[in-house]
Amino acid sequence: MASTAAVIGSTGLVGNVILSTALGLDAFKTVYTISRRAPKPESPKLAATLETDTTKWTSNLSSITPPPSTVFSALGTTRVAAGGIANQWKVDHDLNVELAKAARAAGVKTFVFVSSGGTRAFPSSNLPYSKMKVGVEDSIKSLDFSQAIILRPGIILGHRDVPHQGGPLLIGLIHGLGKISQGWQDKWGAEAEVIGRAAVHASVLAAEGKAPSNYWILEQADIIRLGRDEWKA
Ligand SMILES: *[C@@H]1O[C@H](CO)[C@@H](O)[C@H](O)[C@H]1NC(C)=O
């Protein structure tokens, strides 16, 4: 049976892939988005809400009727784009948590969150970035969705409209690793394409009752498997 989905963060690198992948599947008959600027893909199945005031987004999500069966959040900014860590926290942590709560209250069954790998290990667990991601993951867990899916990718490869700060050297290194050995690259990073497909693939498997648990964490290796090795489009 075809269902509906909502994608938050659809104008970002991974969110854009989630959106275009979901639009391409018969499993979804309508895909909603809530974003500041217009998402890239065009489709008769796309129902886009453009709202520049992000404090309205929870309300915009709650007013989708009937509620989407699946909500994907790939929402995240960078410290530079947000204008400091406090502002980044408001979006990456607070807004994601508020959206998850609104989704749960509206009766959304499946919540998919694109988090980040390596955030629970010392010493990176002390970084504000890690604390933001862990905080959102823990909130989603406590909301007890019928199905939650958390993706923990390593370095995200792909073309960004706004370059990642401090990233080019590291991203260059990971790309270089891929030229020597795909296996090495797979350990540290993945193309945005692979991560976005993994998110959608996992949600489809969950809808078919094939999720291994109702709080399903996809680590880097699971992301490569679902988004590339076992992905048939
Ligand atoms: C989003 O929600 C706010 C508050 O309910 C509302 O005023 C606004 O019109 C909504 N935006 C859109 C584009 O529907």
Side-chain angles (χ1 to χ4, degrees):
M1 199 190 74
S3 63
T4 59
V7 185
I8 317 287
S10 61
T11 57
L13 200 55
V14 175
N16 176 55
V17 178
I18 292 176
L19 176 58
S20 53
T21 304
L23 287 169
L25 292 182
D26 292 337
F28 298 103
K29 65 175 191 291
T30 307
V31 183
Y32 297 88
T33 56
I34 302 168
S35 55
R36 261 188 289 228
R37 41 196 178 91
K40 276 183 197 159
E42 287 177 21
S43 161
K45 286 163 67 173
L46 173 63
T49 295
L50 296 185
E51 176 56 68
T52 50
D53 182 355
T54 56
T55 65
K56 302 283 195 306
W57 285 11
T58 47
S59 154
N60 299 133
L61 180 62
S62 306
S63 62
I64 299 173
T65 35
S69 30
T70 305
V71 171
F72 295 91
S73 177
L75 176 67
T77 180
T78 63
R79 191 188 301 209
V80 171
I85 190 70
N87 286 331
Q88 188 183 9
W89 189 278
K90 282 183 198 155
V91 176
D92 287 39
H93 180 274
D94 298 353
L95 186 52
N96 268 313
V97 170
E98 289 310 313
L99 288 163
K101 284 182 183 165
R104 183 70 179 86
V108 168
K109 286 176 71 182
T110 303
F111 196 88
V112 186
F113 176 58
V114 181
S115 186
S116 180
T119 57
R120 287 174 196 261
F122 182 82
S124 58
S125 55
N126 284 320
L127 297 173
Y129 180 83
S130 298
K131 291 185 174 160
M132 272 183 325
K133 299 295 178 188
V134 167
V136 179
E137 288 183 14
D138 290 349
S139 297
I140 292 170
K141 188 169 192 184
S142 72
L143 285 168
D144 204 20
F145 282 92
S146 312
Q147 180 69 60
I149 300 171
I150 307 289
L151 285 86
R152 292 183 182 159
I155 305 287
I156 302 171
L157 305 171
H159 176 76
R160 283 182 167 79
D161 292 344
V162 183
H164 209 288
Q165 91 262 34
L169 193 65
L170 190 56
I171 288 171
L173 181 72
I174 305 288
H175 269 300
L177 280 179
K179 294 209 179 81
I180 305 167
S181 155
Q182 188 64 48
W184 286 354
Q185 180 177 301
D186 289 352
K187 202 161 155 37
W188 298 105
E191 298 289 340
E193 192 94 302
V194 171
I195 301 166
R197 284 173 178 167
V200 179
H201 191 175
S203 78
V204 170
L205 289 176
E208 294 170 351
K210 293 178 187 161
S213 73
N214 67 352
Y215 185 74
W216 185 12
I217 296 172
L218 273 68
E219 301 286 358
Q220 176 69 16
D222 305 306
I223 291 168
I224 299 285
R225 181 170 56 81
L226 291 181
R228 191 184 64 206
D229 300 345
E230 293 177 8
W231 173 259
K232 335 178 199 13

